[in-house]
Amino acid sequence: MSDSALETAIAQVEKVERGQAPAPVVRSFFDEATFTATHVVHDPATRQAAVIDSVLDYEAASGRTSHTTAQKVVDYVRAEGLEVQWQLETHAHADHLSAAPWLQAQLGGKLAIGAEIVRVQSVFGKIFNAGTEFARDGSQFDRLFHDGDRFAIGGIEAIALHVPGHTPADMAFVIGDAAFIGDTLFMPDYGTARADFPGGEARQLFRSIRRLMALPDATRVFLCHDYKAPGRDHFAWETTIGAERRDNIHVHDGVGEDAFAAMRTARDATLSLPNLIMPSVQVNMRGGRMPEPESNGTRYIKIPIDAL
């Protein structure tokens, strides 16, 4: 069975490797509080850029938000004279709140996510009893990407790949020779993402990972998270497809689907939910916007009891 989207992504990376297309410049910002890497990728010729997986600071005890982390992105973009075309989300994160709407107000850019966000909105709209006023059609976003959709960052070719398994809506964005893969893989010494959230599935995650691993070995891979593997004393969020295929402790070459699914399912059963899952999903399923104010003018985050 032909995978034309993957073939296009492979050809795109190979053009950069051969010097026939420009390589994007990537600057990453790591938020240690949520272990999240935000990436700013730009075309050095046109200075056009995308911001990928931004972070809104949120203090759970007080419910207060701030923009210290996102402001670093703003400062960098302005200092480098970049023009932001896109605010990209690899999926609706369960471990941090998105700062994309605030960054849009500061820097511009279309807000985009995978088209399967509608499945996430349907499931979590019910869990949080969001009501009929919460649209479950993805309309909170400027663009919904489908598998194989092509776009550009300035003069650099880009393509969206649907890589479900962690959630049904996960996307990887291959921009030039750089792949931004969200929560599918971690650094080779840490392994892979969990697959036990609603709509997640370990076998589907395996197939998505193997699809990504078909990209050329030299493809630069930018991760959304790092948690420091045992024995490593620094955070890291950039690797290569070749390193993942060779060294990933969960899914290196030679690991089969049955073995991976058994490992991932057993491991997931031992994991606690992310600390910020309740605020994160409620906000991120709305495109990074808070729930509407109630009659007293205050916005509220709901915590369903015994629901997850």
Side-chain angles (χ1 to χ4, degrees), residues 19-229:
Q20 297 172 336
V25 175
V26 182
R27 172 75 159 85
S28 302
F29 299 83
F30 191 75
D31 175 47
E32 192 168 338
T34 62
F35 306 103
T36 303
T38 296
H39 308 291
V40 180
V41 53
H42 79 265
D43 174 3
T46 66
R47 314 301 289 174
Q48 293 185 318
V51 179
I52 303 174
D53 292 334
S54 60
V55 175
L56 177 71
D57 300 311
Y58 177 80
E59 185 181 83
S62 66
R64 291 193 173 277
T65 62
S66 60
H67 304 102
T68 302
T69 299
Q71 185 63 51
K72 295 176 183 177
V73 172
V74 172
D75 292 345
Y76 169 76
V77 167
R78 290 175 175 167
E80 293 294 315
L82 306 181
E83 179 185 353
V84 173
Q85 290 181 286
W86 294 99
Q87 302 282 346
L88 300 176
E89 300 285 356
T90 55
H91 62 295
H93 308 276
D95 41 30
H96 70 273
L97 284 67
S98 171
W102 185 81
L103 286 170
Q104 273 190 304
Q106 307 299 311
L107 302 170
K110 293 181 179 179
L111 175 57
I113 200 168
E116 291 300 307
I117 186 63
V118 298
R119 289 182 58 192
V120 175
Q121 291 176 328
S122 178
V123 170
F124 281 97
K126 294 175 183 175
I127 289 173
F128 292 116
N129 196 29
T132 57
E133 65 275 13
F134 170 55
R136 294 159 169 82
D137 58 2
S139 57
Q140 300 86 349
F141 299 86
D142 299 313
R143 179 164 175 182
L144 301 181
F145 280 111
H146 294 84
D147 186 59
D149 280 354
R150 302 178 70 175
F151 62 109
I153 308 296
I156 295 179
E157 296 178 334
I159 188 168
L161 299 178
H162 186 212
V163 287
H166 173 62
T167 80
D170 281 62
M171 301 298 289
F173 299 108
V174 184
I175 301 171
D177 67 335
F180 301 85
I181 64 171
D183 290 13
T184 49
L185 291 163
F186 297 135
M187 291 297 290
D189 59 359
Y190 201 86
T192 57
R194 65 194 299 166
D196 60 332
F197 292 150
E201 206 277 315
R203 290 183 180 274
Q204 193 174 50
L205 178 61
F206 177 86
R207 293 190 288 270
S208 292
I209 289 171
R210 294 311 306 179
R211 190 183 190 209
L212 289 171
M213 285 184 171
L215 291 168
D217 281 359
T219 306
R220 294 182 287 161
V221 176
F222 293 88
L223 312 175
C224 190
H225 298 290
D226 186 57
Y227 304 96
K228 289 184 184 175

Side-chain angles (χ1 to χ4, degrees), residues 223-258:
L223 312 175
C224 190
H225 298 290
D226 186 57
Y227 304 96
K228 289 184 184 175
R232 174 158 54 85
D233 62 2
H234 63 282
F235 291 108
W237 48 82
E238 181 180 354
T239 182
T240 65
I241 288 294
E244 294 282 15
R245 290 183 57 194
R246 183 180 63 249
D247 298 326
N248 189 284
I249 60 171
H250 292 167
V251 71
H252 56 77
D253 283 350
V255 175
E257 182 174 323
D258 289 344

Side-chain angles (χ1 to χ4, degrees), residues 259-271:
F260 175 81
M263 177 282 301
R264 190 67 264 171
T265 302
R267 182 176 173 85
D268 288 349
T270 70
L271 301 177

